[in-house]
Amino acid sequence: MARVSRNSKQSIVAAVREYMSENPNETVSMRRIAAKLGISAGTIYNHFSDKDSLIAALMLEDWHGVLKQMEISCEKAASFKEGVTDLYQLLCGFISTYRNIWNGYRVSDNYAVLQSQRHIEIVGQIAVYVRTLLEKFAEEKDLRMDRILAENILSAAMQEEISLEILLQLAGYIA
């Protein structure tokens, strides 16, 4: 087993990522992660106050990676359709990684408010890349549609019944 130094939050986050990849249907446990690293669970608690904080650190790191990939995809896109497809697929990958965690999360009143705030932030972050695509491929009048299209890309990625084909049809009306 690999040892982790007391100051290695990154090693702990990496172990959680690996554990989730190897065991996608299992609940993340601080004890299992500690055992994987050959440390005590208390060592993990020195870095993260609880399991939610640990998962949040992992998700945030992965989300920043998705945003970077969105930026690269938008720069390389040869068409609006290709760019929207890439954004959709990146979101689908992120969502599929964390869907089980989200589904298992207990919803409280505070969580509902926080979820709404985070949703608005995420749509705003996606809209930055949608706007890049619109500036690259659409007419001036279409630039105001960035948040609307971002919301629809996110919705399509989250809801399996909304296919990429339907999303692209909608995007075609916009640009």
Side-chain angles (χ1 to χ4, degrees), residues 112-169:
V113 170
L114 183 61
Q115 182 184 28
S116 177
Q117 292 168 343
R118 293 292 180 253
H119 181 86
I120 291 167
E121 289 175 25
I122 290 168
V123 168
Q125 290 171 327
I126 297 167
V128 168
Y129 302 108
V130 171
R131 186 168 187 89
T132 299
L133 292 171
L134 289 169
E135 288 171 347
K136 200 170 171 181
F137 299 110
E139 296 179 22
E140 181 79 23
K141 67 180 176 57
D142 298 325
L143 296 180
R144 298 180 313 229
M145 303 300 260
D146 57 348
R147 288 190 73 85
I148 293 168
L149 186 52
E151 178 71 52
N152 282 280
I153 293 170
L154 179 59
S155 292
M158 290 175 62
Q159 301 173 50
E160 294 171 354
E161 63 272 10
I162 302 175
S163 68
L164 175 59
E165 181 182 334
I166 292 169
L167 174 64
L168 291 174
Q169 185 178 1

Side-chain angles (χ1 to χ4, degrees), residues 3-5 7-17 33 37:
R3 292 269 173 204
V4 64
S5 71
N7 297 322
S8 188
K9 287 175 93 170
Q10 197 56 37
S11 295
I12 296 168
V13 170
V16 173
R17 176 178 286 107
I33 299 305
L37 290 167

Side-chain angles (χ1 to χ4, degrees), residues 8-143:
S8 188
K9 287 175 93 170
Q10 197 56 37
S11 295
I12 296 168
V13 170
V16 173
R17 176 178 286 107
E18 185 177 321
Y19 180 83
M20 287 176 57
S21 174
E22 293 169 355
N23 307 283
N25 296 320
E26 286 188 32
T27 302
V28 173
S29 147
M30 297 294 246
R31 286 186 189 143
R32 287 184 194 134
I33 299 305
K36 182 174 186 58
L37 290 167
I39 61 174
S40 71
T43 302
I44 296 176
Y45 287 107
N46 289 336
H47 297 287
F48 300 96
S49 59
D50 56 24
K51 182 172 72 171
D52 290 344
S53 298
L54 176 54
I55 298 297
L58 174 63
M59 286 174 51
L60 187 59
E61 186 177 289
D62 286 352
W63 179 246
H64 285 279
V66 168
L67 293 175
K68 184 64 181 165
Q69 286 298 318
M70 286 181 179
E71 179 182 358
I72 292 166
S73 292
C74 289
E75 289 172 4
K76 291 182 176 181
S79 69
F80 185 71
K81 188 177 192 178
E82 179 184 319
V84 169
T85 299
D86 287 349
L87 296 179
Y88 169 81
Q89 290 174 337
L90 287 164
L91 286 169
C92 284
F94 181 80
I95 289 165
S96 71
T97 299
Y98 293 103
R99 187 178 303 277
N100 287 343
I101 291 172
W102 295 328
N103 288 342
Y105 204 84
R106 293 181 190 202
V107 178
S108 65
D109 291 339
N110 291 341
Y111 178 75
V113 170
L114 183 61
Q115 182 184 28
S116 177
Q117 292 168 343
R118 293 292 180 253
H119 181 86
I120 291 167
E121 289 175 25
I122 290 168
V123 168
Q125 290 171 327
I126 297 167
V128 168
Y129 302 108
V130 171
R131 186 168 187 89
T132 299
L133 292 171
L134 289 169
E135 288 171 347
K136 200 170 171 181
F137 299 110
E139 296 179 22
E140 181 79 23
K141 67 180 176 57
D142 298 325
L143 296 180

